[in-house]
């Protein structure tokens, strides 16, 4: 795993689980404090920093992941390539690259910022709330995937048309369409008009 100053302070050397802390932010994305991960997601939710990654192959197909069944939040549903939360003090770009590696075993190439989006999405199944100031990233997946089964149940590369069909038939994360729509301008710039995004 890539180590940054922020991740080094969040690694436990004795194997015990440490509380995962998130950065709380105001409506402008300015850090105002921290909160434990689960507490930040309990209703009504606390606005916190997050990121979402969208990676594509050479044919302009989007890499989706189905979240592992053991995840406490939104298990078993499809979502974008990778999403998560920076540690307090960790740059969103570094966190996006770190988690993509941790979850999928690849280092994204041409990873670029694609703006931010703020949303409030309750998850009826769990009762948890996604109150997030989300940093968006787009890039390429050019290595063989090595998914961590604790994080990822399944992966698929899909065209825009295949995504529309899949979205109609399968459960997706509550935040998926919000982050996808917000990232579309950068996605079109990366994949070109013929990919149909």
């Amino acid at each position: 795993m890539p180590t940054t100053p922020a991740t080094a302070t969040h690694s436990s050397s004795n194997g015990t689980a440490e509380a995962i802390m998130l950065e709380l932010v105001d409506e402008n994305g300015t850090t105002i404090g921290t909160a434990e991960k689960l507490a930040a997601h309990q209703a009504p939710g606390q606005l916190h920093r997050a990121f979402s990654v969208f990676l594509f192959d050479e044919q302009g197909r989007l890499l989706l992941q189905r979240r592992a069944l053991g995840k406490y939040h939104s298990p078993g549903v499809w979502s974008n390539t990778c999403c998560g939360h920076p540690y307090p003090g960790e740059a969103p770009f570094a966190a996006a690259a770190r988690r993509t590696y941790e979850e999928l075993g690849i280092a994204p190439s041409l990873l670029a910022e694609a703006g931010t989006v703020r949303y409030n999405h309750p998850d009826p199944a769990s009762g948890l709330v996604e109150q997030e100031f989300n940093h968006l990233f787009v890039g390429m997946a050019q290595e063989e995937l090595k998914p961590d089964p604790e994080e990822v149940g399944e992966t698929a590369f899909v065209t825009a048309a295949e995504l529309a069909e899949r979205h109609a038939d399968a459960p997706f994360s509550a935040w998926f369409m919000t982050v996808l729509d917000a990232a579309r301008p950068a996605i079109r710039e990366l994949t070109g008009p013929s990919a149909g995004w």
Side-chain angles (χ1 to χ4, degrees):
M1 176 184 92
T3 302
T4 67
T7 60
T9 63
H10 292 85
S11 301
S12 176
S13 59
N14 62 6
T16 59
E18 273 187 39
I20 297 173
M21 302 301 288
L22 308 184
E23 257 184 22
L24 300 181
V25 299
D26 65 15
E27 294 292 336
N28 299 313
T30 303
T31 302
I32 57 171
T34 60
E36 191 276 325
K37 183 178 179 181
L38 185 57
H41 287 88
Q42 289 173 335
Q46 299 177 74
L47 184 59
H48 58 274
R49 194 176 309 284
F51 64 83
S52 289
V53 177
F54 296 86
L55 298 184
F56 296 82
D57 66 8
E58 299 290 347
Q59 290 77 48
R61 298 180 303 167
L62 171 61
L63 174 58
L64 297 177
Q65 71 154 277
R66 187 171 62 82
R67 294 165 63 84
L69 292 174
K71 304 272 279 185
Y72 80 93
H73 191 349
S74 302
V77 301
W78 288 93
S79 199
N80 48 294
T81 307
C82 179
C83 52
H85 310 91
Y87 292 128
E90 183 181 24
F93 184 93
R98 171 180 59 80
R99 282 303 290 165
T100 301
Y101 182 81
E102 290 172 356
E103 292 188 10
L104 295 160
I106 62 170
S109 53
L110 303 176
L111 192 65
E113 294 183 15
T116 59
V117 62
R118 192 263 196 250
Y119 52 79
N120 177 1
H121 285 301
D123 176 30
S126 66
L128 299 174
V129 178
E130 290 288 1
Q131 275 269 31
E132 295 188 330
F133 188 94
N134 197 306
H135 297 256
L136 308 171
F137 299 93
V138 300
M140 302 291 291
Q142 297 178 308
E143 302 174 37
E144 182 182 347
L145 302 177
K146 299 180 238 15
D148 176 353
E150 297 286 316
E151 299 284 349
V152 180
E154 190 178 347
T155 60
F157 282 96
V158 297
T159 65
E162 289 166 344
L163 174 62
E165 290 175 17
R166 186 180 289 256
H167 195 261
D169 296 335
F172 272 72
S173 64
W175 62 87
F176 176 73
M177 286 309 298
T178 300
V179 292
L180 176 63
D181 287 343
R184 278 186 199 274
I187 290 170
R188 291 186 189 114
E189 190 173 323
L190 177 72
T191 60
S194 62
W197 295 102

